Amino acid sequence: LVRWDPNQESDVLLKQSAYLHAMYYETILLIHRPLLPLSGGPSSETEEILKSCSDAARASADVFVVLRKRFPGVAFPMNQARLLIYIPY
């Protein structure tokens, strides 16, 4: 199991771990986002799904913050805007 360690000394291991974690969080968003109703009042199920999406987006943002600080000016092959805002295509 790859654990997220923002203080990882190896650049290679940090990038690999960041990529795996970002893909994990994106998978959570891809699975849960379609289950959110477009209209209607909040329910316990809706709140749980929204919390899962919010937690995944927040954790993903944390990963990108670490990468941007460690590798300023480097573009990563992940679509950050779509992942964090998550607007379905």
Side-chain angles (χ1 to χ4, degrees):
L1 178 64
V2 177
R3 296 195 182 265
W4 175 242
D5 179 10
N7 300 313
Q8 172 61 250
E9 292 181 19
S10 168
D11 289 349
V12 172
L13 291 177
L14 179 70
K15 288 177 185 177
Q16 289 175 345
S17 178
Y19 182 79
L20 289 173
H21 280 81
M23 292 301 99
Y24 170 75
Y25 299 131
E26 183 169 18
T27 301
I28 290 173
L29 289 169
L30 289 171
I31 290 170
H32 288 91
R33 175 65 171 85
L35 301 175
L36 287 172
L38 296 176
S39 63
S43 68
S44 60
E45 183 179 314
T46 302
E47 289 177 7
E48 187 176 323
I49 293 168
L50 186 58
K51 182 177 178 348
S52 294
C53 290
S54 297
D55 290 347
R58 189 174 298 109
S60 180
D62 292 343
V63 169
F64 285 114
V65 166
V66 169
L67 289 176
R68 299 281 300 201
K69 286 182 180 176
R70 181 95 168 250
F71 308 102
V74 175
F76 292 94
M78 296 170 247
N79 188 339
Q80 297 173 22
R82 185 176 61 80
L83 183 61
L84 298 178
I85 299 170
Y86 197 73
I87 301 169
Y89 11 109

